[in-house]
Amino acid sequence: MREVEDDAVNQRDKDGDAGDTASRRKDARRNKETLLDAAAAVFVTSGVDAPVRDIASRAGVGLGTLYRHFPTRADLIIAVYRHQVEACAEAGPALLESAPSPHDALRQWIDLFVDFLVTKHGLAAVLRSDQSGFEGLHTYFLDRLVPVCTQLLDAARTAGEIREDIAALTLMRGVGNLCIGAETDPDYDARRLASVLVDGLRRPD
């Protein structure tokens, strides 16, 4: 009988340890996500050279927590880049489900894409010493986002809303070129210019 009781106690201890471990992992994931969102917001306003203490403060965590997740600035920038790419990729199908029309879904997605392009300003300079790493991120960017943009364009074409002669990569490059001015002019409205471009895709009445 005593052995049974001891086994029950040991099992409760194991269950408790497992629960504590799961809770810590959940907290760590939440802290990481919060840091990535905070870093993306700070990078938009202050660039990738912004003080890390500003990022930690915006995320509501200490510097120790930031450095545990991202030991170097390059680690943080690359993680933000991937985080933003995934957010853009996941947003495409969701917008097609929720937007009033495929063209409106495309317009909203391009707004997110513009925000992403502004966020990653300065990435190339940070990774200049690691050309292979930068090329790998660029490939990842294209592999994830070109199919999403293609899906949005195809849906708008099928609905008869836009012209037929524009490819996803061409549109994305055009939007990218419109975002260049945001690097040096804080009053530059890249979203507005991209919106004009997307409106120009509409079929003439």
Side-chain angles (χ1 to χ4, degrees):
M1 183 66 178
R2 179 53 182 260
E3 290 180 358
V4 172
E5 291 175 351
D6 288 344
D7 288 344
V9 170
N10 289 335
Q11 185 61 48
R12 285 198 298 271
D13 288 343
K14 289 179 181 179
D15 291 344
D17 290 342
D20 290 344
T21 299
S23 179
R24 285 194 295 270
R25 287 176 178 170
K26 184 176 180 180
D27 289 343
R29 285 195 298 269
R30 183 167 55 246
N31 284 340
K32 186 174 182 179
E33 292 291 316
T34 301
L35 279 166
L36 289 172
D37 289 337
V42 171
F43 289 168
V44 168
T45 58
S46 304
V48 295
D49 293 323
V52 291
R53 63 178 175 273
D54 292 353
I55 297 169
S57 176
R58 186 181 183 98
V61 302
L63 283 174
T65 298
L66 188 152
Y67 283 121
R68 276 197 298 275
H69 288 291
F70 311 107
T72 69
R73 183 179 294 272
D75 291 332
L76 176 60
I77 293 169
I78 291 170
V80 169
Y81 183 96
R82 287 182 171 273
H83 181 63
Q84 295 294 90
V85 167
E86 287 304 311
C88 268
E90 293 170 3
L95 287 170
L96 279 175
E97 289 290 330
S98 62
S101 71
H103 183 269
D104 195 62
L106 175 64
R107 181 187 56 75
Q108 292 183 51
W109 187 81
I110 290 295
D111 281 347
L112 296 175
F113 183 58
V114 167
D115 292 345
F116 162 71
L117 293 178
V118 174
T119 299
K120 80 180 187 67
H121 169 54
L123 177 70
V126 172
L127 297 178
R128 190 170 291 130
S129 61
D130 183 10
Q131 186 61 30
S132 62
F134 179 71
E135 290 175 355
L137 281 176
H138 185 63
T139 299
Y140 167 74
F141 161 83
L142 293 177
D143 288 347
R144 290 294 286 133
L145 296 189
V146 172
V148 176
C149 188
T150 298
Q151 181 185 15
L152 289 159
L153 287 170
D154 286 348
R157 287 193 195 99
T158 299
E161 295 181 309
I162 65 170
R163 54 197 295 172
E164 300 283 342
D165 59 344
I166 186 73
L169 186 57
T170 300
L171 176 60
M172 292 167 65
R173 283 174 172 165
V175 172
N177 287 335
L178 291 175
C179 291
I180 292 174
E183 297 178 4
T184 56
D185 183 356
D187 295 324
Y188 187 89
D189 192 347
R191 267 197 176 200
R192 174 59 182 155
L193 292 175
S195 178
V196 172
L197 175 61
V198 173
D199 285 344
L201 298 177
R202 283 192 175 277
R203 284 180 176 274
D205 293 333

